[in-house]
Every structure is written in C-alpha cells, then in structure tokens.
Amino acid sequence: MKISIAICTWNRSALLAKCLEHIEACRPPACGELEVVVVNNNCTDDTDRVIEAFSRRLPLRRVFEPRPGVANARNAAVDAVRGDCLLWTDDDVRVDRDWIVEYE
C-alpha cells in the first residue's frame, strides 16, 4: 500500500517548512511507500524554494495550481496523488511522529 500526503499552500512558506520538518521526522510506514504532494496554489513567496529543499529529503513532488482557492488546490492534489491512501494536512500543522503509521 502506498500512502500519499497532500498539502495545499498559498504564500505560507515558513509554515510549510515547519510542516515538512515534522513530516520528515515521522516514523516511516511499514509498507515503505510514501509520497508527499505539495500543491503550490499560485504562491508569490519562496514556496518553491522550500519545496525544492525538502524534495532532497522527502519523496516530495510539487504540483502547481494557478486557479486561486483551496477547492482548486485540493482537486489538483487528488488528480496528482498516486497512493492507495490519501492523508490531508494543512501547511500550518505540526504532525505527530506516529501520524503516518497510525493509518496503516
């Protein structure tokens, strides 16, 4: 089973970085397959720089959604993820280190 994590963001790169730090600190799923999809909802800050930095540390992909609004961003995430299980979180959330494994 592959687990996908989706995060939609708009101009909150500092919060996104903290969120991704916490995801990086999570215990890996036993299934071994994980992907993190970050939807850049037409950000004008340094969100892409944060995504690039974490893509070296996490199995992370960037999706760009030019149309404003969380519904558009979430629909883009649903279209992009490849996992059997989709976990949602927001860019301002600090997940617990067991958050991912609790869904297995």
Side-chain angles (χ1 to χ4, degrees):
M1 175 174 80
K2 184 173 191 170
I3 296 175
S4 298
I5 298 172
I7 306 166
C8 301
T9 191
W10 182 71
N11 289 341
R12 291 167 38 136
S13 62
L15 291 172
L16 176 63
K18 290 293 184 189
C19 177
L20 292 172
E21 285 174 5
H22 281 256
I23 290 172
E24 182 181 26
C26 282
R27 290 188 326 153
C31 66
E33 289 196 71
L34 176 71
E35 71 170 347
V36 180
V37 173
V38 177
V39 179
N40 173 334
N41 197 194
N42 208 16
C43 298
T44 58
D45 64 359
D46 64 342
T47 292
D48 283 339
R49 184 190 60 74
V50 170
I51 293 169
E52 176 64 27
F54 278 91
S55 68
R56 296 182 202 108
R57 298 157 43 185
L58 286 167
L60 189 149
R61 288 188 296 119
R62 172 195 178 266
V63 173
F64 181 73
E65 175 51 60
R67 296 171 296 163
V70 70
N72 291 320
R74 287 180 180 158
N75 285 333
V78 168
D79 289 343
V81 297
R82 300 177 185 140
D84 305 300
C85 179
L86 174 56
L87 307 180
W88 292 96
T89 192
D90 289 326
D91 55 13
D92 61 347
V93 172
R94 310 295 189 269
V95 298
D96 183 86
R97 72 178 307 268
D98 292 329
W99 179 64
I100 298 168
V101 297
E102 289 297 321
Y103 285 96
E104 289 187 292

